[in-house]
Amino acid sequence: MLMMGGNALAAEKLNFDGERKGEYIHQKNTVEDFNKGGYRFTTLLNFQYDFDKHVSAFARVAAQTANIKHDFYTTRENGSEDTKVALDHYGLIYKNANVIYTLGQQSMGIGQQGIMFDNTGNIGHEIAGLQALKVEGSAGKVDWNTYYGQTHKTAAFDNKIVRLYGVGAKVALTDATSVGFDYAHSKSDVSKNHYALNVGHTIGKLDLELEGLRSSAANDNSAFVFSATYKPTKKDSFGISLHRTEQNADIAGMTAFENDQRGLLYKYSHTFNDRLDLGVEYMDNSYISKPGNYKAFAAAVTYRF
């Protein structure tokens, strides 16, 4: 009976959730001479064990089957079906008042719109596994974060370790207007400083957000994104982003808006209920430093459990 009680207590401390996503994707890149469509099925399993009210351990298992480009970094030819599984997130969380410390392998977005660095949409330790300490908190109308970490030495980063640290903050000036600032330092072959400024404003059901980025590189060192999101109902969202990112502006080419490209990103999402939603995206980009373009369409259904 004591063993059963102990098992029940342990089960109460273990939290589990996840999601299953099915996608159809078509990509055309005239620079890489690529024009194919295919599918991806992705499963994410998230675990968290609470030792007490302050300390927790977390882990994520990611799996994907695809016959087109993986979110995992892979050299397998597109068109052949492939399945990959990885334990790509793990570590410890410490919570104290309004501050959260996360130590371990994790994903991170830097810049209010991920303009500087964003691997939150990736899976697999090759890209999504940023080994880092992140501290985040809030004080009044200010949300802030600071971090120090490094990537893995994989082909995704030209077989080099990228080290980075920085700080960010977002201030709610009014209920409708906010200002954000991010600074990061990155180092691989060269060291760079990156600075981003973000302004957001809401007008009724329309959210507007403008973010600019500049690095200390000698040339090709700036980026910007202007996004507008309209939510006519609680279940529907329409978005468009005008963006441009020069080659040396972001960190390791990991901007959320495609390095060395400019263009438009269109988004639509519909929430059926708290577990099921539909998302559609279309990106229409051209290269900045060379002739050519990149166009991508994706439609996904996601079920959370």
Side-chain angles (χ1 to χ4, degrees):
M1 294 296 291
L2 288 175
M3 291 181 61
M4 292 178 64
N7 290 339
L9 182 60
E12 289 179 1
K13 293 184 176 183
L14 179 63
N15 300 298
F16 164 79
D17 62 42
E19 68 176 48
R20 177 72 167 160
K21 179 189 290 187
E23 300 173 90
Y24 172 78
I25 302 164
H26 190 277
Q27 299 168 317
K28 180 180 180 181
N29 190 315
T30 59
V31 172
E32 298 179 4
D33 192 25
F34 179 85
N35 184 9
K36 289 184 179 180
Y39 68 85
R40 289 194 301 220
F41 293 103
T42 306
T43 301
L44 300 178
L45 303 176
N46 304 300
F47 303 88
Q48 182 170 310
Y49 184 83
D50 299 325
F51 295 102
D52 56 36
K53 65 179 182 180
H54 295 295
V55 182
S56 303
F58 70 91
R60 184 179 81 172
V61 176
Q64 190 172 81
T65 299
N67 70 348
I68 196 171
K69 185 179 179 181
H70 267 282
D71 281 321
F72 286 88
Y73 195 84
T74 175
T75 57
R76 178 178 285 272
E77 290 295 325
N78 290 284
S80 59
E81 184 175 303
D82 184 27
T83 299
K84 290 184 176 292
V85 181
L87 174 66
D88 60 353
H89 287 178
Y90 50 83
L92 296 172
I93 299 171
Y94 176 73
K95 299 178 182 179
N96 186 18
N98 294 325
V99 181
I100 302 173
Y101 303 80
T102 305
L103 175 65
Q105 186 158 288
Q106 56 192 288
S107 296
M108 193 178 300
I110 305 175
Q112 305 299 318
Q113 299 187 70
I115 191 174
M116 195 180 296
F117 181 94
D118 188 2
N119 66 345
T120 58
N122 296 100
I123 58 177
H125 76 275
E126 294 94 337
I127 301 180
L130 184 67
Q131 299 169 317
L133 169 64
K134 182 177 182 180
V135 185
E136 53 193 330
S138 61
K141 295 185 178 182
V142 180
D143 295 325
W144 59 270
N145 68 83
T146 185
Y147 49 86
Y148 177 86
Q150 66 179 38
T151 67
H152 285 275
K153 185 178 181 180
T154 69
F157 298 103
D158 296 326
N159 291 311
K160 301 167 187 174
I161 293 175
V162 181
R163 294 180 173 86
L164 57 116
Y165 62 82
V167 62
K170 185 176 183 179
V171 183
L173 301 178
T174 68
D175 291 341
T177 305
S178 65
V179 175
F181 172 79
D182 285 271
Y183 162 76
H185 176 82
S186 66
K187 183 178 181 179
S188 53
D189 286 341
V190 298
S191 296
K192 290 190 293 182
N193 295 312
H194 311 259
Y195 307 88
L197 181 64
N198 177 282
V199 179
H201 185 67
T202 299
I203 307 171
K205 297 180 179 181
L206 179 65
D207 295 329
L208 303 173
E209 196 167 7
L210 174 64
E211 188 162 16
L213 168 65
R214 193 171 183 88
S215 80
S216 60
N219 49 55
D220 300 323
N221 60 3
S222 64
F224 79 88
V225 56
F226 173 71
S227 298
T229 304
Y230 178 63
K231 301 175 182 177
T233 70
K234 292 182 179 180
K235 293 189 174 185
D236 295 285
S237 175
F238 298 86
I240 183 171
S241 296
L242 173 67
H243 60 92
R244 175 189 170 96
T245 304
E246 294 179 344
Q247 282 182 306
N248 301 319
D250 62 342
I251 299 174
M254 285 295 293
T255 178
F257 296 94
E258 302 296 335
N259 178 267
D260 191 30
Q261 294 182 30
R262 61 175 179 262
L264 289 165
L265 173 63
Y266 305 88
K267 292 184 177 183
Y268 168 72
S269 66
H270 176 78
T271 300
F272 296 98
N273 51 51
D274 60 353
R275 294 183 179 273
L276 184 65
D277 58 47
L278 167 71
V280 179
E281 294 186 6
Y282 177 68
M283 179 172 279
D284 186 3
N285 286 2
S286 59
Y287 280 83
I288 298 172
S289 66
K290 67 195 79 163
N293 56 67
Y294 170 65
K295 301 179 187 295
F297 170 83
V301 176
T302 304
Y303 176 75
R304 290 174 293 276
F305 51 88

